[in-house]
Amino acid sequence: YRMIDLTKEPENNLQSSLNVSGSPYLAGNLQAYSGQLIAMNVGFDPNLPLTLEEATDDNTRWNWVVDQARKAGAQYPELIAAQFMLESGRGANVSGTHNYFGLKTTATDPDSTWLETSEYKNGKWVKVMAPFKNFDSPEAAIQYLSRLWYKDFGAYKGANNALDINEAIGYLVKGGYATDPDYTTKLLKILQEFEKAKSKQKQPITV
């Protein structure tokens, strides 16, 4: 085998679609695949968008959020992705700058956006005005969510303490993340949807 320095220009100029060197000893139709294998071996997912803006469909948005949530220290990154899909209408809406999670803040927070929202109170839905947190980036919103709701924060025990993802949802609901009585059901439905999509993508590679 040979060592490859990814900080330098490839000597053989054979690259995958992500500019990772392939092997000069493989047939042309396998060189890009070789480059992708090298990328994965150094912890680089060749199918992962670098930013949320580069994610062009639900699956790539899901994968991007899962990756960012994992980096932020969430024990259940797929759950954060499900929250992203539910709270933002699959990335179409924000409740505050880069706030894809419906994260509220205090009334005195100067870095907030006031919006009308629906809350379930006393057995019925009502419209209220509420302040939503602004963030510098989608990554910052994920880090904030992980820090306040998944990790232990003050007296609050975060969802990372859960033994499984169902219990993790319970931590969020018990902590008052959402007032929707169907919040658990909606999150589980989204998780099941993307788990099925993930299973379909796992096709054998023939070389």
Side-chain angles (χ1 to χ4, degrees), residues 22-33:
S23 169
Y25 306 110
L26 292 176
N29 64 338
L30 294 179
Q31 288 167 1
Y33 174 63

Side-chain angles (χ1 to χ4, degrees), residues 117-185:
T117 185
S118 296
E119 299 284 356
Y120 193 79
K121 295 182 177 180
N122 300 319
K124 62 180 181 180
W125 288 99
V126 295
K127 295 287 187 180
V128 298
M129 293 296 294
F132 291 87
K133 185 73 175 171
N134 292 331
F135 296 98
D136 292 334
S137 66
E139 293 90 336
I142 293 172
Q143 291 162 8
Y144 181 91
L145 172 60
S146 177
R147 186 172 70 252
L148 266 66
W149 288 91
Y150 283 75
K151 300 176 183 179
D152 293 344
F153 187 80
Y156 172 77
K157 296 298 181 182
N160 279 357
N161 292 287
L163 298 178
D164 57 44
I165 202 164
N166 291 278
E167 188 178 352
I169 296 174
Y171 271 82
L172 298 177
V173 172
K174 184 179 179 180
Y177 189 95
T179 61
D180 186 349
D182 297 321
Y183 195 67
T184 297
T185 301

Side-chain angles (χ1 to χ4, degrees), residues 33-49:
Y33 174 63
S34 169
Q36 290 182 348
L37 284 180
I38 294 169
M40 287 185 283
N41 285 336
V42 296
F44 188 91
D45 185 345
N47 299 311
L48 190 67

